[in-house]
Amino acid sequence: SQKIEQNSEALNIQEGKTATLTCNYTNYSPAYLQWYRQDPGRGPVFLLLIRENEKEKRKERLKVTFDTTLKQSLFHITASQPADSATYLCALFSGGYNKLIFGAGTRLAVHP
Amino acid sequence: DSGVTQTPKHLITATGQRVTLRCSPRSGDLSVYWYQQSLDQGLQFLIQYYNGEERAKGNILERFSAQQFPDLHSELNLSSLELGDSALYFCASSVDRGGLNTGELFFGEGSRLTVL
C-alpha cells in the first residue's frame, strides 16, 4: 500500500544550526512533492514545491531535495531560528489517483 | 491570511447530530479540498471539488457528504456524528486548471468540531 513517512519524533536543535527533515514514500510515483508548515491550531502554509525532474530547490533559508530513486525528500532550514519551530508536512501528488496526500508531519523545536 | 474562509471556527455538538461546515475559497480558485485532522491521524484527504463537480475522493465516510455550489463555495455535511468524528476540518483551495492539482493549496484556519 502507499505510504508517506516522516519522523514522528520531534526534532530539537539549537538556534543557528541547520535542521534537516526527512520524507520517505513507498508505492508512489509522485509528479511533485510539496512542503508545508503548520503551527498549532492553524491551517498548513505552503513553503516549497519540487518536481520529479528537479533535484534541488531553494527559497531563502529553505532547501528541498528530491531523490526519486531513493523515494525520499529532504527539507533543510539553515541558520534556524526559534520562530521556525512548527510542524512541517510533506505532501505528494499522485496523478493516477488525483490526490494530494500528506505525511503525518515532523515537529521541529528550535531552542535559543 | 490565505484568503480561504471557513465557518464556524468552533462547533460543539452531541453524538447522532448533523452539522454543516462551510468554506469560501480564494477569489478565482476553482478547486476546493476538504481534509480532516485528528491527533492520531494527521491530515486525511476527504474529497475534492472542481468547478462544482467531484474530482477526487479519499477516505470519506458514507455519513459525510460535500458539495460545491455555483458561486464556488463548498459545504461539508457530517451526519450521525460519533465521538471519533471530533477533529479539525480544513478546507483548502487551489487554481487547479483542468481539475488536477497543479500546485500549492491555500488552507483556511479550520473548523474545530467537538462531539460529546
Side-chain angles (χ1 to χ4, degrees), chain A residues 102-104, chain B residues 36-44 59 84:
Chain A
F102 283 80
Chain B
Q36 178 193 54
Q37 188 173 43
S38 50
L39 279 174
D40 57 347
Q41 289 286 324
L43 260 177
Q44 299 293 310
N59 298 324

Side-chain angles (χ1 to χ4, degrees), chain A residues 31-90:
Chain A
Y32 54 79
L33 185 148
Q34 303 182 27
W35 284 89
Y36 288 77
R37 169 186 172 138
Q38 186 175 24
D39 291 288
R42 308 293 300 275
V45 175
F46 172 81
L47 296 174
L48 280 166
L49 180 152
I50 185 165
R51 301 189 185 281
E52 60 181 338
N53 60 350
E54 297 174 317
K55 296 285 186 204
E56 181 178 299
K57 203 115 181 230
R58 291 175 186 260
K59 180 182 173 183
E60 297 171 355
R61 295 185 295 111
L62 309 180
K63 183 178 89 169
V64 171
T65 62
F66 193 10
D67 189 325
T68 55
T69 302
L70 290 180
K71 295 187 183 294
Q72 181 181 78
S73 174
L74 298 179
F75 177 80
H76 307 271
I77 306 175
T78 58
S80 59
Q81 304 165 1
D84 295 326
S85 299
T87 296
Y88 291 86
L89 308 168
C90 74

Side-chain angles (χ1 to χ4, degrees), chain A residues 32 34 36 38 41-44 46 49 51 89 93 97-102, chain B residues 35 37 43 45 48 55-57 90 99-105 107-109:
Chain A
Y32 54 79
Q34 303 182 27
Y36 288 77
Q38 186 175 24
R42 308 293 300 275
F46 172 81
L49 180 152
R51 301 189 185 281
L89 308 168
F93 176 69
Y97 298 93
N98 193 28
K99 296 176 188 176
L100 188 65
I101 306 299
F102 283 80
Chain B
Y35 285 85
Q37 188 173 43
L43 260 177
F45 171 67
Q48 177 209 356
R55 287 307 299 259
K57 212 165 185 175
F90 286 106
L100 288 181
N101 176 264
T102 53
E104 66 178 291
L105 299 189
F107 280 82
E109 291 301 323

Side-chain angles (χ1 to χ4, degrees), chain B residues 2-66:
Chain B
S2 67
V4 177
T5 304
Q6 288 189 248
T7 57
K9 288 190 174 14
H10 301 277
L11 193 53
I12 301 174
T13 188
T15 54
Q17 295 298 303
R18 172 191 168 94
V19 299
T20 297
L21 310 180
R22 183 189 166 101
C23 171
S24 293
R26 286 190 326 153
S27 176
D29 284 356
L30 300 180
S31 263
V32 168
Y33 298 73
W34 286 98
Y35 285 85
Q36 178 193 54
Q37 188 173 43
S38 50
L39 279 174
D40 57 347
Q41 289 286 324
L43 260 177
Q44 299 293 310
F45 171 67
L46 296 178
I47 198 162
Q48 177 209 356
Y49 278 83
Y50 175 77
N51 205 18
E53 305 220 345
E54 181 185 307
R55 287 307 299 259
K57 212 165 185 175
N59 298 324
I60 187 167
L61 299 172
E62 283 193 13
R63 301 183 285 109
F64 296 1
S65 64

